């Protein structure tokens, strides 16, 4: 995250960054969460910290208003793991996924950054992989109709599934089944 992004989150009181970084104000000696509603400090007086501990070790005191000392510590790793778990559990449900990711409390943009940092792939690449592996399994291990496979791995229809499958494997689902059916 760049300082500009963090500053933007501060100016917007963006609660989705709470726990992800803290800002401190040199003129007051106080550190806050991004969502703190106190008066916006002057940019040049502000510095940023990844954790509350770091802010404290630099001599800043927690803010009484946003209680930056009480915030549950949400390590980024934990958020990434929760997202991964969520994707593993519900990649088949096409529409609900983004909605459920939102419940983890960070913005979609922030979530994709966190996920990529942690796992080296984007959210959609990760989900795509899960869908591909499941589709391959169903094609080679079962007699399920291809249209049903498309729906069951989270596609809205046959053509989007075909396109996706062909792009990823170089084969159409039907050809893949012919070659790999057990
Ligand atoms: Zn505050």
């Amino acid at each position: 995250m760049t300082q500009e992004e963090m500053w933007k989150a501060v100016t917007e009181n963006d609660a989705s960054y709470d726990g992800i970084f803290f800002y401190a104000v040199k003129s007051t000696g106080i550190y806050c969460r991004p969502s703190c509603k106190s008066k916006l400090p002057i940019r040049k007086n502000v510095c940023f910290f990844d954790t509350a501990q770091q802010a404290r070790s630099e001599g800043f005191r927690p803010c009484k208003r946003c209680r930056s000392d009480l915030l549950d510590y949400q390590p980024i790793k934990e958020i990434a793991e929760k997202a991964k778990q969520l994707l593993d559990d519900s990649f088949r449900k096409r529409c609900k996924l983004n909605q459920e990711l939102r419940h983890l409390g960070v913005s979609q943009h922030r979530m994709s950054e966190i996920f990529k940092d942690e796992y080296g792939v984007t959210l959609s690449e990760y989900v795509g992989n899960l869908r591909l592996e499941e589709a391959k399994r169903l094609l080679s291990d079962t007699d399920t109709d291809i249209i049903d496979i498309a729906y069951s791995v989270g596609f809205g229809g046959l053509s989007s599934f075909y396109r996706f499958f062909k792009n990823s494997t170089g084969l159409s689902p039907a050809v893949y089944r012919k070659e790999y059916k057990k």
Side-chain angles (χ1 to χ4, degrees):
M1 234 184 148
T2 66
Q3 298 229 336
E4 280 66 43
E5 287 170 322
M6 291 192 274
W7 176 243
K8 186 165 178 287
V10 170
T11 58
E12 292 170 355
N13 300 135
D14 190 341
S16 64
Y17 290 91
D18 284 0
I20 292 172
F21 75 89
F22 295 84
Y23 72 95
V25 185
K26 290 168 198 161
S27 51
T28 59
I30 302 282
Y31 73 90
C32 286
R33 316 194 252 150
S35 70
C36 185
K37 297 284 193 293
S38 51
K39 192 168 164 286
L40 190 67
I42 300 167
R43 173 71 181 86
K44 71 172 169 57
N45 287 335
V46 170
C47 51
F48 299 100
F49 297 98
D50 288 337
T51 64
Q53 290 91 317
Q54 285 171 8
R56 274 199 299 274
S57 71
E58 296 283 320
F60 292 102
R61 284 167 292 114
C63 171
K64 289 206 171 64
R65 184 150 185 195
C66 65
R67 295 308 305 266
S68 43
D69 53 335
L70 291 186
L71 182 72
D72 287 336
Y73 181 46
Q74 279 191 302
I76 285 175
K77 203 174 160 61
E78 200 175 293
I79 296 176
E81 277 169 10
K82 276 189 197 152
K84 184 168 171 295
Q85 189 61 50
L86 195 63
L87 299 182
D88 289 342
D89 291 343
S90 54
F91 71 92
R92 295 173 187 84
K93 294 178 272 177
R94 192 165 54 100
C95 312
K96 292 186 87 177
L97 216 48
N98 284 334
Q99 206 181 325
E100 293 190 22
L101 280 175
R102 230 171 287 144
H103 291 159
L104 296 179
V106 298
S107 70
Q108 206 172 343
H109 175 69
R110 182 61 188 139
M111 175 57 81
S112 44
E113 286 180 348
I114 291 172
F115 198 85
K116 179 110 202 221
D117 281 352
E118 190 66 26
Y119 298 111
V121 290
T122 65
L123 287 164
S124 56
E125 284 166 347
Y126 185 77
V127 171
N129 243 336
L130 291 172
R131 289 180 169 153
L132 183 64
E133 290 311 311
E134 179 67 357
K136 282 178 173 174
R137 189 186 69 75
L138 291 168
L139 287 167
S140 64
D141 297 2
T142 73
D143 291 315
T144 311
D145 285 342
I146 290 174
I147 178 76
D148 294 328
I149 294 177
Y151 287 127
S152 72
V153 299
F155 286 86
L158 207 47
S159 61
S160 54
F161 175 61
Y162 258 87
R163 214 177 312 122
F164 165 80
F165 197 87
K166 183 114 199 224
N167 278 342
S168 316
T169 64
L171 303 172
S172 72
V175 171
Y176 183 91
R177 173 167 267 172
K178 245 181 227 143
E179 297 210 1
Y180 295 96
K181 185 81 172 73
K182 285 169 186 162

